[in-house]
Amino acid sequence: MEKSSTLTGSKSLCFHCGDTVRGEQVVHDGKLFCCSGCKIVYEILQQNDLCNYYSIQQTPGISPSPIEISRFSFLNDEKIQQQLLDFSDGKTASVTFSLPTIHCSSCIWLLEQLYKLDNGIIQSRVDYLKKQVAIKFDIKKTSLKNIVVLLSTIGYEPELQLDAVDKKMESEITRSLYYKIGVAAFCFGNSMLFSFPEYLGFDATEMFLRPIFSYLNLLLALPIFFYCSADYFVSAIGGLRKKIINIDVPIALGIVLLFGRSAYEIISQTGPGFVDSMSGLLMFLLLGRVFQSKTYDRLNFERNYKSYFPLSVRLKKNSVETTVPISSLKKGDRIIIRNNEIIPADGMLLRGSAAIDYSFVTGESTSIEKVLGELIYAGGKQSGGIIELEVTKEVSQSYLTQLWNNFNETVREKGQLSELSNSVSKYFTIVVLIVSFGVLFYWLPKDVKTAVNAFTGILIVACPCALAISIPFTLGTTLRIFGRNNFYLKNNSVIETLSKIDTIVFDKTGTITHAQQSSAEFVGDKLTYEEVQATYSLAKNSIHPISKMISDQLTGEQVTVENYSEQIGSGISGTVNSKIYKLGSRPFIKNGIILKGNINETRTYLSIDDEVKGYFLIKNLYRDGLDDVLSSLSKKIHFSVVSGDNESERVKLQSIFPVGTELQFNQTPTDKLNYVKSLQEQGKRVLMIGDGLNDAGALLQSNLGIAVSENVSQFSPSSDAIVSGESFGKIAQFIKFASLSMKIVVASFVLAFIYNSFGIYFALQGQLTPIMAAILMPASSITIVFFTTISTQLFAKKRGLL
Amino acid sequence: MAVIALLIGFSFIIAVGFLAAFLWSVKSGQYDDKYTPSVRMLFDNDKEIK
């Protein structure tokens, strides 16, 4: 490993991962790397002629986090293997891993060349959108563990979960939708052809063809009625049972009448029937479904704490270490936790120095030191050396699990159905039924045939196909536009909820502040270059988050630090060039002068040879665009901030947020949930924006929960939407665009009504002919499709969202 | 004109054939991943670098 001072330019990027190189530089093969991890990956790829990886896309790599191979030894356990493997026949096996770090085409290329890195791998296929790789391997030549280790070394550490929800179910649903569309399109096309002669008129010599065509049509109507429409019947009946007239009720009614009247006309040879209109109707309805079923496969909105937990843990029994699944942990077991591992169960610290990072549970960024005999709650991540714990509660009884289960119990089920479409369809159905029965009774005494024709005609032509597809097409387009702006919604109905909220509750840490990028500002005497170097090297020795923050802030070469020592919870010290450097809390630095200031801010003092040089002030940075969000929404929306932190930032928050904003500090997860609930009891529609598991309850309780995540494919608590940190400033725009989309939906409803009343006008007189229906119904659907998608896109462009 | 009945029979059979092909393609998973194949086909085949 060489070190170079010629490459100290501030904008030097790592050849592998493209990160700005900070601190220590690694140069290999004439290329600059940010860490030795990146260099190792480069070396592996270079040895195997896989450098094409770097030519497909610039700096495609992922900086691998340091791994310990022993961490994966549980993969040799047969039971765990059985749960992970998709298939195994004793010779070959296949497994599907979810790799959250897949992000570019170079990733696809490299992951499909895995057989070059491990000759036991037969084939690997990537599904880019799902961020998965399916690997087929020879179990004699390699093992599951080897593959996982290989993937982790090159930066693609798989997300291993035993309770992973089976995604296959979902793909079955999409597939069945495709089958239905295929069948509907086939019937639509053919029945149109078979209906043309009828519309154009038969010559006397061709009259014999007429029954052939109409019976063929009837044949085509069967799969449409019994197969393609099944979902609508189920949903309509389900709705009626719950005493809700949903949009599928009039649709199902229309389909039944279309089929019934067509069958009657064809069998009695009194007319050609409406089979073409019926199959066209189903095709458009199903297309709308596909359009709205666009989901973000790679995102998981339902994640719970389990997906964050390890699969297994090292158990120590009679000084022998074994790996066991966490579910089999019992009270009194002794477990061993290494650096960067997560504590799976509540336990008492028996050995080692623990610095636990609870950022996942509490959103707090600083880690907490624990002393021997202290209780450590599950969910924390150990940073530092090896620790030994005695399990005090089983995993299912632990604090975190209890917390989670409480949330899920207290939170009501969120409505999935669209309020707007339901209320419209209710009135629509009632009006249509009144009109059709009115017409029936008006005609009955005069002419039974016209009466039946008019009655069925109205129900057929009023079938709200255009109405039913305006929501999926408008909101589906909006969903895609949001997706492009890194705002991912769970489903369509979230847009409607978003357009109606009147209160926003923010979490503080990680939500309105950056979780990771807190800045460490040095306040005090000016340091010489030599001193900066020494401080940098000293801080580099420790893995404590504050030390890391300080070493990231400083740039320099690493110099030798002698007599390095770390005093947990206090600070670090070492000798550089025969001067004693100390970094740490006030009591740790001897002769520390009392500097005035707010004690709630985190300060880390620096002393050289017992002379205090100053301190590093650790501040949280607020996200860009927070001002914009607040200023453009403050007229209509009330804000609140709930924070698990102390009040140190109260003054600052008051200066940022508009007057009247409620600020709540020292809130536990349950407090947050109750706060949201109390707002809802006042009749508010609450949008909760949070990031950690500590917000999970509030996110679930709120009318709409948005999780802010720096990396959308990584953990975020269950929520209705996920927004990436960089798009946080656009939230105001998103809310406004959501209400605009709802206006477009209403406008397209009006359009659909115009078409409908046109058709009803003819139907009233019993004059609705099949050809009229065949033109009117598809025409209205096509108009709606174009109107909604084009207008939504145009507005998005105007607002700078496209 | 009886020939038209025959033609319709044929056209229907062909259409059924296409429908079957479509259903088969869905079943075989062609619609499960609509993105990756579009990238995969652009990769060069391995060149032997000596």
Side-chain angles (χ1 to χ4, degrees):
Chain A
M1 203 191 292
E2 304 166 47
K3 277 171 201 152
S4 161
S5 53
T6 53
L7 292 155
T8 354
S10 58
K11 277 186 183 162
S12 36
L13 301 178
C14 173
F15 182 73
H16 177 72
C17 68
D19 272 357
T20 318
V21 180
R22 283 187 199 174
E24 194 189 345
Q25 296 169 345
V26 183
V27 176
H28 171 80
D29 204 17
K31 278 143 188 129
L32 180 68
F33 298 95
C34 66
C35 58
S36 53
C38 286
K39 191 200 78 172
I40 289 167
V41 179
Y42 174 79
E43 277 176 341
I44 295 174
L45 299 186
Q46 197 189 25
Q47 280 158 18
N48 290 285
D49 275 340
L50 289 169
C51 279
N52 200 3
Y53 183 54
Y54 298 101
S55 58
I56 296 170
Q57 209 129 68
Q58 286 263 302
T59 61
I62 303 114
S63 186
S65 41
I67 55 156
E68 267 181 83
I69 292 173
S70 59
R71 216 174 89 205
F72 296 114
S73 48
F74 68 92
L75 289 170
N76 289 331
D77 185 284
E78 280 221 359
K79 266 187 198 159
I80 288 180
Q81 282 187 10
Q82 273 174 9
Q83 277 175 286
L84 287 170
L85 292 178
D86 298 335
F87 155 87
S88 172
D89 64 359
K91 276 183 196 159
T92 57
S94 60
V95 62
T96 309
F97 291 122
S98 136
L99 311 177
T101 45
I102 292 183
H103 66 286
C104 67
S105 42
S106 276
C107 301
I108 304 175
W109 183 82
L110 179 63
L111 290 170
E112 298 199 342
Q113 308 281 327
L114 283 180
Y115 64 92
K116 289 189 177 165
L117 295 172
D118 181 340
N119 68 355
I121 293 174
I122 300 165
Q123 192 197 38
S124 49
R125 296 285 270 187
V126 174
D127 185 326
Y128 181 78
L129 295 180
K130 287 186 187 152
K131 303 209 174 204
Q132 284 178 343
V133 63
I135 296 173
K136 216 164 117 186
F137 62 97
D138 189 330
I139 52 174
K140 294 223 173 71
K141 287 185 185 157
T142 189
S143 70
L144 199 60
K145 184 190 155 194
N146 286 350
I147 295 172
V148 172
V149 170
L150 171 67
L151 286 170
S152 309
T153 354
I154 58 173
Y156 299 95
E157 187 174 331
E159 217 177 48
L160 296 169
Q161 283 174 43
L162 291 183
D163 66 331
V165 187
D166 202 359
K167 284 257 173 168
K168 274 170 196 156
M169 277 295 290
E170 207 173 289
S171 88
E172 280 306 307
I173 294 167
T174 352
R175 278 190 192 179
S176 92
L177 199 53
Y178 282 123
Y179 290 141
K180 282 178 184 161
I181 288 195
V183 172
F186 165 81
C187 295
F188 181 44
N190 283 290
S191 67
M192 258 201 306
L193 274 182
F194 298 154
S195 303
F196 261 126
E198 182 72 43
Y199 299 154
L200 300 175
F202 287 98
D203 286 341
T205 50
E206 296 157 353
M207 282 313 275
F208 73 96
L209 287 172
R210 196 175 188 165
I212 300 179
F213 281 130
S214 51
Y215 275 106
L216 276 173
N217 264 338
L218 188 58
L219 188 71
L220 290 173
L222 296 175
I224 289 281
F225 186 74
F226 290 104
Y227 178 58
C228 300
S229 325
D231 293 344
Y232 293 95
F233 298 143
V234 171
S235 157
I237 292 169
L240 288 177
R241 275 209 187 126
K242 285 188 204 155
K243 296 190 176 149
I244 304 166
I245 301 180
N246 57 26
I247 189 87
D248 291 335
V249 173
I251 289 176
L253 200 63
I255 295 170
V256 170
L257 282 164
L258 274 166
F259 181 74
R261 188 160 156 190
S262 306
Y264 170 76
E265 284 187 5
I266 290 166
I267 291 166
S268 67
Q269 289 295 311
T270 48
F274 294 84
V275 177
D276 50 346
S277 303
M278 178 178 162
S279 38
L281 171 83
L282 258 303
M283 196 186 77
F284 280 110
L285 286 173
L286 292 170
L287 278 180
R289 283 209 169 179
V290 170
F291 199 79
Q292 78 171 358
S293 78
K294 152 112 190 172
T295 48
Y296 298 99
D297 292 323
R298 66 209 163 92
L299 298 183
N300 192 338
F301 293 94
E302 312 288 352
R303 257 185 257 215
N304 66 20
Y305 67 94
K306 275 186 190 156
S307 54
Y308 184 72
F309 269 24
L311 297 177
S312 68
V313 66
R314 241 169 274 112
L315 183 75
K316 196 175 174 184
K317 217 174 203 177
N318 310 328
S319 65
V320 182
E321 283 184 33
T322 47
T323 316
V324 295
I326 59 165
S327 54
S328 64
L329 276 185
K330 278 182 200 77
K331 200 176 157 182
D333 281 350
R334 284 188 165 203
I335 54 171
I336 292 168
I337 308 286
R338 300 185 187 207
N339 189 18
N340 274 332
E341 285 186 348
I342 288 154
I343 292 141
D346 297 355
M348 205 170 66
L349 187 61
L350 292 182
R351 198 194 295 171
S353 55
I356 313 291
D357 170 10
Y358 278 112
S359 58
F360 158 75
V361 186
T362 61
E364 284 262 22
S365 47
T366 40
S367 60
I368 301 163
E369 272 98 11
K370 297 273 183 181
V371 294
L372 295 185
E374 230 181 313
L375 194 68
I376 297 177
Y377 288 121
K381 198 186 215 179
Q382 157 71 352
S383 46
I386 298 171
I387 53 169
E388 223 177 283
L389 297 178
E390 189 183 292
V391 177
T392 52
K393 274 177 184 169
E394 284 168 33
V395 177
S396 59
Q397 302 291 312
S398 76
Y399 170 69
L400 186 65
T401 319
Q402 296 283 319
L403 190 68
W404 187 270
N405 291 342
N406 280 344
F407 286 161
N408 282 350
E409 273 168 30
T410 48
V411 168
R412 80 208 133 72
E413 218 178 283
K414 279 191 195 183
Q416 286 297 312
L417 293 161
S418 161
E419 292 173 38
L420 178 68
S421 114
N422 274 349
S423 61
V424 168
S425 67
K426 188 169 121 196
Y427 291 112
F428 181 84
T429 314
I430 292 170
V431 169
V432 166
L433 284 177
I434 291 173
V435 171
S436 51
F437 276 103
V439 169
L440 182 71
F441 292 121
Y442 172 80
W443 281 108
L444 260 183
K446 298 175 195 165
D447 178 359
V448 178
K449 200 177 161 238
T450 319
V452 174
N453 272 352
F455 176 70
T456 51
I458 287 171
L459 289 174
I460 286 169
V461 85
C463 180
C465 169
L467 235 147
I469 63 175
S470 56
I471 286 184
F473 277 94
T474 316
L475 300 190
T477 314
T478 309
L479 210 69
R480 284 170 173 74
I481 291 166
F482 282 167
R484 283 212 201 171
N485 288 287
N486 302 318
F487 179 43
Y488 306 97
L489 306 183
K490 191 156 120 189
N491 57 36
N492 267 340
S493 60
V494 175
I495 297 172
E496 195 180 337
T497 321
L498 186 63
S499 70
K500 285 184 183 160
I501 56 121
D502 55 16
T503 305
I504 302 181
V505 178
F506 293 96
D507 164 55
K508 190 177 80 74
T509 318
T511 304
I512 54 179
T513 63
H514 291 285
Q516 308 299 329
Q517 293 170 316
S518 302
S519 74
E521 196 187 327
F522 186 74
V523 184
D525 304 345
K526 188 129 177 76
L527 301 176
T528 65
Y529 180 67
E530 201 183 305
E531 287 167 339
V532 171
Q533 258 187 343
T535 315
Y536 164 75
S537 310
L538 178 67
K540 193 85 182 161
N541 270 301
S542 161
I543 39 94
H544 190 279
I546 291 179
S547 311
K548 265 180 113 180
M549 222 181 272
I550 291 170
S551 64
D552 281 350
Q553 200 71 20
L554 304 166
T555 39
E557 283 175 52
Q558 200 159 350
V559 288
T560 331
V561 179
E562 288 160 342
N563 301 329
Y564 173 76
S565 78
E566 184 163 353
Q567 208 174 317
I568 297 297
S570 305
I572 50 176
S573 63
T575 315
V576 183
N577 294 333
S578 60
K579 282 179 181 167
I580 302 166
Y581 283 78
K582 283 185 177 178
L583 262 176
S585 63
R586 211 164 1 182
F588 179 71
I589 313 290
K590 280 196 185 108
N591 308 327
I593 42 162
I594 310 281
L595 292 156
K596 279 184 188 169
N598 188 343
I599 48 153
N600 279 329
E601 282 165 342
T602 312
R603 286 179 185 185
T604 301
Y605 290 84
L606 170 70
S607 76
I608 301 170
D609 279 344
D610 282 345
E611 185 198 335
V612 178
K613 289 282 176 185
Y615 57 87
F616 287 91
L617 185 64
I618 314 293
K619 265 189 184 166
N620 290 324
L621 282 182
Y622 289 91
R623 277 188 199 278
D624 304 332
L626 177 63
D627 294 346
D628 295 343
V629 173
L630 298 177
S631 61
S632 61
L633 291 175
S634 60
K635 275 183 198 159
K636 286 182 187 165
I637 289 171
H638 183 80
F639 302 110
S640 302
V641 178
V642 288
S643 172
D645 288 352
N646 57 31
E647 302 210 1
S648 65
E649 302 256 330
R650 181 184 272 279
V651 180
K652 183 120 194 234
L653 284 171
Q654 275 169 343
S655 68
I656 297 172
F657 280 86
V659 185
T661 303
E662 273 183 70
L663 303 174
Q664 308 269 342
F665 295 97
N666 302 315
Q667 298 277 300
T668 65
T670 322
D671 289 342
K672 289 185 180 184
L673 186 152
N674 289 334
Y675 180 69
V676 170
K677 206 187 244 175
S678 71
L679 286 175
Q680 284 172 329
E681 276 158 10
Q682 293 164 33
K684 301 254 169 72
R685 287 170 184 261
V686 182
L687 166 65
M688 171 77 203
I689 307 179
D691 74 316
L693 191 66
N694 59 335
D695 304 318
L699 286 170
L700 281 169
Q701 173 67 41
S702 62
N703 298 66
L704 181 62
I706 300 181
V708 181
S709 173
E710 294 307 326
N711 182 347
V712 288
S713 54
Q714 271 165 20
F715 178 83
S716 54
S718 52
S719 56
D720 302 298
I722 299 174
V723 67
S724 88
E726 74 224 46
S727 291
F728 179 81
K730 288 186 187 165
I731 284 180
Q733 265 177 292
F734 294 148
I735 293 175
K736 287 180 178 168
F737 195 72
S739 32
L740 184 74
S741 314
M742 292 317 291
K743 283 183 191 138
I744 294 174
V745 170
V746 173
S748 61
F749 277 1
V750 173
L751 252 179
F753 283 134
I754 293 172
Y755 270 108
N756 262 333
S757 32
F758 194 63
I760 289 177
Y761 170 75
F762 288 101
L764 279 176
Q765 306 158 48
Q767 297 293 317
L768 183 81
T769 56
I771 186 165
M772 233 184 263
I775 292 167
L776 210 58
M777 290 170 74
S780 68
S781 304
I782 290 168
T783 318
I784 295 296
V785 170
F786 279 106
F787 172 75
T788 52
T789 50
I790 290 172
S791 60
T792 313
Q793 299 226 7
L794 279 180
F795 279 115
K797 233 171 226 171
K798 223 173 156 186
R799 304 236 169 153
L801 288 173
L802 259 187
Chain B
M1 281 309 285
V3 74
I4 209 161
L6 197 68
L7 285 175
I8 281 163
F10 280 128
S11 78
F12 192 70
I13 289 165
I14 289 167
V16 168
F18 277 105
L19 177 66
F22 173 76
L23 297 181
W24 170 76
S25 73
V26 175
K27 195 175 162 68
S28 68
Q30 282 190 30
Y31 287 82
D32 290 354
D33 182 0
K34 283 160 279 184
Y35 179 81
T36 323
S38 73
V39 178
R40 191 179 287 132
M41 66 177 283
L42 296 175
F43 296 141
D44 290 334
N45 288 335
D46 290 342
K47 282 174 219 146
E48 290 295 318
I49 306 160
K50 291 278 142 79

